Amino acid sequence: MQLLATDTLKQLPAAILPRLIKLFMTTTPDLITAIQQAAVKNDLVVMAEAAHKLKGSCLSLGAEQMAAICKELQEKGEANDNTGIHEHIATLSSLYPQTLEAMQTL
Amino acid sequence: MRIFSNVRLLQLIDSALLLMLLSVIAMLLWFSLSNLSVRAQQNQQEATEAMQKAYETVREQIKLEELLDKQRKAFDALDDEFFRFARNPNSDRSNLPLLHNLSDNLKEKTNQLLAAWPEKTDPQLKEQLEEFTGLMTGMIDELESLSPGHWQQLARDAHDTARNAYDLVASLATVDDQVGFEVMNAIQQSIQNNTANTFQLSSQLDIIKYQALLSTIFIIAGLLASRFYFSSHFKQLIQTAQNAQLLAEEAVKTKTRFLATMSHEIRTPMNGVIGMTRLLMNTPMSKKQSEFVESIHLSGEHLLTVINDVLDFSKIEAGKLDLKHEPVELRACIEDVFNLLSSKALEKDLELAYAVAPSIPLFIEGDVARLRQVLTNLIGNAIKFTEQGEISVLVTQVAQQDQNYELKFEIRDTGYGIPADRLQSIFESFSQADNPLTQKGEGTGLGLSISQRLVEMMKGRIWVESQLGVGSHFYFTIKTCQAEGKLKPFLYPNIPEIIGKRILIVENNAANQQALQDFCSGWGAITQVCASSQEAIQLLESGSTYDMGLVDSRLPKATALDFGRYVRSYYTLQEFPLILIAPPDDPHPKQVVSELYNLYLTKPITRSRLFDSLMTVLGERNLVATQSEHQQLKLGERLPLSILLAEDNPINQIVASSILDEMAYKAEIAENGRQALDALRVKPFDVVFMDMQMPELDGLTATRLIRAELAAEHQPIIIAMTANAMESDKQACLAAGMNDYISKPILPEAIEAALERWCSTPLKKKNKELPDAALSH
């Protein structure tokens, strides 16, 4: 699985890419925070929702690894299973800057 | 620089040395030879004098000898006659005259001899000769007085005298010989002198020869030495210079590599810092703390743009940036930049407009990304430094030869302007840094510098003219040539639907006016331009009729709605369709606008949007437009649909709407299921793209409500868009009453396929097929 599936990005009109990346840059931290806060409160449904939302952004921009973790978190949240979610969130947080970097160097 | 001056010094020394040596040789030769020539002249003179003297002496001697000879003969003749006279007894006085004659002759000859007497000879001899001659001539006079008996005695005396005289003359001959000897001596002396002089000359020449040889050897040796010295020195210098060059090149490379690596290496952690700062911003903090974090975040983002600029700059500096040569659609390139910057322009309520001269081909060869970068920079700056007014971009053709063009871009703003003392340095790196206007924390000061270098790489130049308080005009030129690119539908000239249509353009912004006119006439329309609604109303009152009107929403005195009302009082929406060209935040009440105007055209004006608008309006008018010709057109052009996009994620909103935009669909956006339902209640849509999980009302619930609530003829096609890629999800969608299902990431093909599947056959029929499932829930 790629950190960033460039094929997906190439499907998009080149003109909007900078705007999308900027949006990704501004919306993702909020979502990660939401996931984190929900996880701390053990509010797994909310966490699943936030993870789902982030998953949508990540999929659209080809951020496959982040999307996979979001999916995992969403599924765990929906199944009310909080095992290992903090590790997942930590990985997600560390993947974010790398993914953004990959987008910007595209 | 030091090496250079050293080389110059060495050259100077070398030349000076050479010059000195040569002048010494020349001086030596000059003095020796001029001395020699004086000597030779002297010699010549001496020799000539000696010869002259010898010649004179010889001539004198010959004359003397001749005279002596004559005198002796005269003596002999007189002596003989005396003798004969004395011995002959018959002698008488009658013989005396003959003796007289002879005596006179002798006297004459003696006088002649005396006259030519050599000076150096013994004076006694001369006296004796005079004496003897006197005696001989005296004897003639005695003879006359003597008796014949004494004559014999006298004759004997005369004979003796003659003999003595003879001896004397003989001794005279020795004198003569002496003179000859002297002459010989003189000649010999002269010859000797000559020989000595010649010898001296030749020896002197020898000396000069040796001197010359020596000096030459000395010079050669000197020159060789200096050459050796200098060549070794030069080699050293060249070596030093080469080393320095290598070092400098290496340093530049290292610097660039370092910059590139550093920029890259810094970017990753910077993204981390910015991301984490944003995370931090969402945690509970005191007001002070949030201010600090906000400041960190802004600085971080600024730092990131600086790093990006530095990376670009170092790439250009290192010559690592290669421009692509690909077809660039110039107008689309400007439109892209406008799209990118329109939000910033909107914040300040600035007009963005552009016009490209119609003679410029659609496609030019170039690097679209770099051209966009230059334009983004200049237009971005213009927006940054302009508080009110407009930013316009004009592209004109400076020169054209066959397929080659030189284009001039002009970016005008109505900002503060640039002080004259900064105009010179504005393109220098980091020149913005000391500008108080840019202390707001934006920009790196590299943007213009990068733009300048990019423009230079495009074989052009960049310059600026500015007037404080009035605005700045940035210009740049590029050299390019016509290129062939893939034409988008709206790029074709003379669109059949548009040809011959009379379009009234009511627009007070000159650049927009020009752009609208250029676009419309390019598609074959006949345009009429007015700068105000009064002008347009006058035209309409004079009886002119039009097929369509394009009206700017920001006409002077805000008369766009008045004009709409005026038109509607005579024409229906179908008879004279009007399009309102408005910014996204148009202040006019939407309800009123929709009664007066057929359509909004969102600013900034781009060809694709204008084309879409014209086609929509014309399509509404000419429903019978032939469909078969539209096969090569975009889906949205041959299958026009009204689309609602229900999606809460802003990224996915943009992705989906821009994919739809590419297909020439304009999608309306609903943020959640509730908004989607509200929108559908206001007006029917052909298609709804529905996200599954949305706040307030999720996709499945919304679908159920739509299916339950709306009348059958208003039921849309609902296509789910979700990241849940499981079969159970799909079943849930269909069960909720959705028609289809596409998974994220959304691909243009998937949307196109779904739309074609569900909408290409007559719409209403499709719609009626589906609600059974929906209604059952």
Side-chain angles (χ1 to χ4, degrees):
Chain A
M1 194 184 295
Q2 288 173 273
L3 181 68
L4 184 70
T6 46
D7 286 350
T8 312
L9 284 173
K10 277 176 191 155
Q11 295 273 356
L12 301 170
I16 63 158
L17 270 184
R19 201 140 52 102
L20 284 178
I21 293 167
K22 204 151 187 202
L23 259 175
F24 183 74
M25 206 163 91
T26 51
T27 57
T28 308
D30 293 351
L31 288 169
I32 295 179
T33 318
I35 294 171
Q36 261 171 341
Q37 284 172 347
V40 169
K41 290 182 201 157
N42 210 21
D43 191 347
L44 294 184
V45 178
V46 174
M47 186 194 79
E49 276 171 14
H52 168 79
K53 199 164 178 184
L54 182 56
K55 183 180 71 174
S57 304
C58 293
L59 277 175
S60 289
L61 293 176
E64 291 182 351
Q65 289 183 17
M66 283 180 73
I69 294 171
C70 288
K71 186 167 180 257
E72 195 93 340
L73 283 169
Q74 187 193 345
E75 281 165 6
K76 278 192 185 289
E78 281 163 359
N80 212 10
D81 167 14
N82 65 359
T83 52
I85 53 168
H86 293 287
E87 287 78 6
H88 278 313
I89 294 169
T91 321
L92 190 64
S93 306
S94 67
L95 275 175
Y96 164 63
Q98 296 174 33
T99 309
L100 187 60
E101 159 74 16
M103 283 177 188
Q104 281 165 341
T105 42
L106 204 67
Chain B
M1 211 55 208
R2 264 199 67 189
I3 287 168
F4 177 69
S5 62
N6 275 350
V7 172
R8 280 288 293 271
L9 192 69
L10 284 176
Q11 276 179 332
L12 277 176
I13 293 173
D14 193 34
S15 311
L17 205 67
L18 191 65
L19 211 70
M20 216 168 67
L21 285 167
L22 283 175
S23 52
V24 165
I25 292 180
M27 231 157 63
L28 276 174
L29 274 174
W30 177 261
F31 282 123
S32 311
L33 287 179
S34 53
N35 192 15
L36 204 66
S37 109
V38 170
R39 274 299 176 87
Q41 238 166 343
Q42 250 176 355
N43 252 0
Q44 181 64 34
Q45 217 169 340
E46 270 174 36
T48 313
E49 269 171 27
M51 290 308 270
Q52 191 73 32
K53 216 162 131 191
Y55 171 72
E56 293 288 336
T57 322
V58 169
R59 225 172 56 149
E60 256 174 57
Q61 200 184 353
I62 288 169
K63 198 177 161 194
L64 195 66
E65 255 171 45
E66 214 173 295
L67 289 173
L68 275 174
D69 209 36
K70 276 182 187 165
Q71 204 249 4
R72 200 156 43 191
K73 271 182 187 158
F75 241 105
D76 281 349
L78 189 61
D79 186 36
D80 280 354
E81 205 50 50
F82 257 124
F83 229 71
R84 214 178 297 144
F85 183 76
R87 295 283 172 100
N88 194 359
N90 300 331
S91 297
D92 57 13
R93 295 193 188 269
S94 63
N95 289 340
L96 281 176
L98 178 67
L99 282 172
H100 263 295
N101 274 349
L102 288 171
S103 152
D104 285 348
N105 188 29
L106 176 64
K107 227 188 265 178
E108 193 193 346
K109 296 294 181 230
T110 308
N111 281 339
Q112 279 177 359
L113 181 63
L114 286 174
W117 196 259
E119 280 168 34
K120 287 176 189 165
T121 359
D122 199 353
Q124 273 186 338
L125 272 177
K126 197 177 167 188
E127 275 168 30
Q128 276 176 345
L129 187 65
E130 277 174 21
E131 205 184 296
F132 286 132
T133 313
L135 280 175
M136 279 298 272
T137 48
M139 272 182 218
I140 309 291
D141 299 332
E142 261 180 78
L143 204 61
E144 277 180 38
S145 57
L146 285 177
S147 60
H150 293 94
W151 286 357
Q152 223 159 15
Q153 186 57 41
L154 194 71
R156 265 195 295 275
D157 288 350
H159 192 65
D160 287 342
T161 312
R163 183 149 304 272
N164 284 343
Y166 197 81
D167 288 344
L168 183 81
V169 169
S171 74
L172 249 183
T174 61
V175 171
D176 188 47
D177 280 352
Q178 210 181 331
V179 171
F181 189 71
E182 270 173 27
V183 168
M184 201 182 73
N185 269 352
I187 290 174
Q188 201 173 11
Q189 189 64 38
S190 149
I191 288 171
Q192 268 169 358
N193 276 352
N194 238 342
T195 316
N197 276 342
T198 313
F199 183 74
Q200 211 176 354
L201 271 180
S202 82
S203 66
Q204 211 154 6
L205 272 175
D206 262 0
I207 290 170
I208 290 173
K209 197 169 76 182
Y210 282 115
Q211 274 177 344
L213 186 68
L214 265 174
S215 323
T216 317
I217 288 172
F218 184 63
I219 288 172
I220 290 171
L223 282 179
L224 279 178
S226 79
R227 292 291 130 162
F228 273 125
Y229 175 72
F230 288 144
S231 72
S232 66
H233 219 77
F234 276 139
K235 216 184 262 175
Q236 215 178 329
L237 282 177
I238 289 166
Q239 194 64 44
T240 318
Q242 278 173 339
N243 284 346
Q245 196 185 358
L246 277 176
L247 269 175
E249 277 170 7
E250 196 52 45
V252 168
K253 269 186 209 159
T254 315
K255 186 189 88 178
T256 316
R257 257 202 311 269
F258 174 76
L259 272 178
T261 320
M262 280 315 288
S263 310
H264 188 78
E265 292 296 322
I266 292 169
R267 217 146 47 157
T268 314
M270 265 324 288
N271 279 327
V273 169
I274 293 170
M276 293 306 137
T277 316
R278 284 203 78 93
L279 292 181
L280 187 62
M281 282 158 81
N282 290 316
T283 57
M285 281 184 294
S286 72
K287 194 164 175 275
K288 201 127 208 167
Q289 281 173 319
S290 358
E291 273 170 21
F292 292 156
V293 174
E294 181 67 29
S295 171
I296 294 174
H297 183 251
L298 277 177
S299 307
E301 285 197 327
H302 182 217
L303 183 56
L304 204 58
T305 56
V306 172
I307 291 162
N308 283 333
D309 276 359
V310 168
L311 189 63
D312 257 354
F313 191 73
S314 57
K315 260 193 206 160
I316 295 172
E317 284 284 278
K320 271 194 185 153
L321 191 87
D322 293 318
L323 290 185
K324 287 182 200 147
H325 295 280
E326 56 195 6
V328 176
E329 206 207 312
L330 182 59
R331 292 158 183 86
C333 179
I334 300 173
E335 287 174 6
D336 283 349
V337 176
F338 277 9
N339 278 334
L340 203 69
L341 298 172
S342 60
S343 61
K344 278 187 187 165
L346 199 64
E347 281 171 19
K348 292 182 168 183
D349 204 22
L350 301 172
E351 284 265 4
L352 286 181
Y354 82 96
V356 177
S359 60
I360 297 169
L362 282 174
F363 288 95
I364 56 169
E365 198 184 81
D367 189 324
V368 67
R370 295 304 169 183
L371 185 59
R372 201 186 289 149
Q373 190 177 358
V374 175
L375 284 169
T376 308
N377 191 281
L378 294 178
I379 299 170
N381 272 349
I383 294 173
K384 194 158 80 183
F385 294 119
T386 305
E387 288 308 324
Q388 56 176 15
E390 60 172 58
I391 318 289
S392 48
V393 179
L394 301 176
V395 188
T396 49
Q397 172 187 317
V398 183
Q400 185 212 342
Q401 197 180 19
D402 302 329
Q403 300 253 297
N404 298 314
Y405 289 81
E406 187 175 359
L407 305 181
K408 185 172 90 178
F409 292 74
E410 181 180 350
I411 293 94
R412 296 180 181 171
D413 65 44
T414 52
Y416 320 116
I418 303 160
D421 59 321
R422 291 206 63 253
L423 280 178
Q424 290 300 317
S425 63
I426 194 158
F427 294 107
E428 285 166 15
S429 317
F430 302 108
S431 72
Q432 280 195 22
D434 51 1
N435 181 0
L437 289 179
T438 51
Q439 294 301 312
K440 294 173 184 174
E442 277 184 275
T444 59
L446 277 178
L448 284 177
S449 188
I450 291 171
S451 298
Q452 184 185 32
R453 281 170 168 74
L454 288 175
V455 166
E456 277 163 9
M457 287 176 78
M458 295 173 194
K459 301 189 201 92
R461 60 194 194 90
I462 189 166
W463 70 99
V464 59
E465 289 166 9
S466 185
Q467 212 176 331
L468 272 178
V470 176
S472 306
H473 291 201
F474 277 84
Y475 300 89
F476 71 93
T477 62
I478 60 167
K479 281 192 177 130
T480 180
C481 59
Q482 191 170 355
E484 292 297 327
K486 220 177 122 196
L487 286 173
K488 292 175 185 162
F490 56 83
L491 295 181
Y492 287 102
N494 301 330
I495 305 291
E497 283 81 0
I498 300 179
I499 287 179
K501 294 283 186 289
R502 290 152 298 156
I503 300 179
L504 178 67
I505 298 168
V506 191
E507 164 70 87
N508 62 318
N509 178 297
N512 275 335
Q513 203 180 61
Q514 191 62 47
L516 288 170
Q517 205 177 5
D518 289 348
F519 296 157
C520 292
S521 45
W523 292 320
I526 302 157
T527 56
Q528 172 67 52
V529 185
C530 303
S532 69
S533 56
Q534 287 89 331
E535 217 178 298
I537 290 170
Q538 274 169 20
L539 278 169
L540 290 169
E541 278 177 345
S542 70
S544 309
T545 55
Y546 300 94
D547 293 300
M548 192 191 298
L550 298 172
V551 183
D552 188 62
S553 78
R554 294 208 281 193
L555 287 173
K557 295 176 203 157
T559 50
L561 290 186
D562 296 342
F563 178 70
R565 286 194 194 98
Y566 171 82
V567 171
R568 288 296 157 245
S569 61
Y570 294 95
Y571 304 97
T572 64
L573 285 169
Q574 278 69 40
E575 283 166 340
F576 186 14
L578 291 178
I579 297 175
L580 186 67
I581 304 167
D585 61 343
D586 187 43
H588 298 122
K590 293 221 162 30
Q591 199 60 42
V592 183
V593 172
S594 67
E595 282 166 15
L596 302 174
Y597 286 86
N598 300 49
L599 215 58
Y600 268 114
L601 171 56
T602 316
K603 278 188 181 176
I605 301 164
T606 65
R607 265 166 320 160
S608 58
R609 290 205 200 119
L610 180 64
F611 185 81
D612 289 346
S613 308
L614 292 189
M615 290 308 273
T616 310
V617 169
L618 289 170
E620 281 173 10
R621 276 192 91 195
N622 314 307
L623 289 171
V624 283
T626 46
Q627 295 286 316
S628 57
E629 285 175 23
H630 289 238
Q631 279 310 314
Q632 78 280 20
L633 295 181
K634 289 182 174 176
L635 190 61
E637 283 149 6
R638 60 190 155 93
L639 186 60
L641 295 166
S642 56
I643 295 178
L644 180 67
L645 178 66
E647 166 71 69
D648 62 321
N649 184 318
I651 290 179
N652 293 343
Q653 281 175 5
I654 295 177
V655 169
S657 61
S658 65
I659 287 174
L660 288 168
D661 205 47
E662 284 284 296
M663 296 173 184
Y665 287 114
K666 278 264 152 289
E668 275 186 32
I669 293 169
E671 294 284 344
N672 53 48
R674 175 75 56 209
Q675 282 189 12
L677 197 57
D678 291 345
L680 281 163
R681 282 174 186 150
V682 173
K683 65 167 184 172
F685 284 87
D686 295 323
V687 181
V688 178
F689 283 100
M690 186 79 80
D691 185 35
M692 295 280 279
Q693 289 189 346
M694 287 182 286
E696 288 196 50
L697 198 60
D698 67 50
L700 292 175
T701 320
T703 305
R704 286 192 200 102
L705 286 173
I706 291 165
R707 293 302 184 216
E709 198 179 296
L710 293 185
E713 65 269 25
H714 289 159
Q715 282 292 344
I717 302 282
I718 301 179
I719 298 168
M721 291 191 306
T722 184
N724 295 357
M726 279 177 293
E727 187 58 28
S728 60
D729 292 317
K730 185 162 185 173
Q731 288 309 319
C733 290
L734 296 179
M738 295 185 179
N739 300 70
D740 206 345
Y741 176 103
I742 55 178
S743 57
K744 291 178 182 173
I746 307 156
L747 298 178
E749 295 79 48
I751 292 187
E752 207 164 315
L755 287 176
E756 292 222 57
R757 190 170 337 129
W758 292 98
C759 309
S760 52
T761 44
L763 280 171
K764 301 300 165 192
K765 195 178 148 203
K766 278 267 175 198
N767 275 348
K768 277 165 189 152
E769 273 174 13
L770 50 97
D772 305 342
L775 290 171
S776 65
H777 283 273

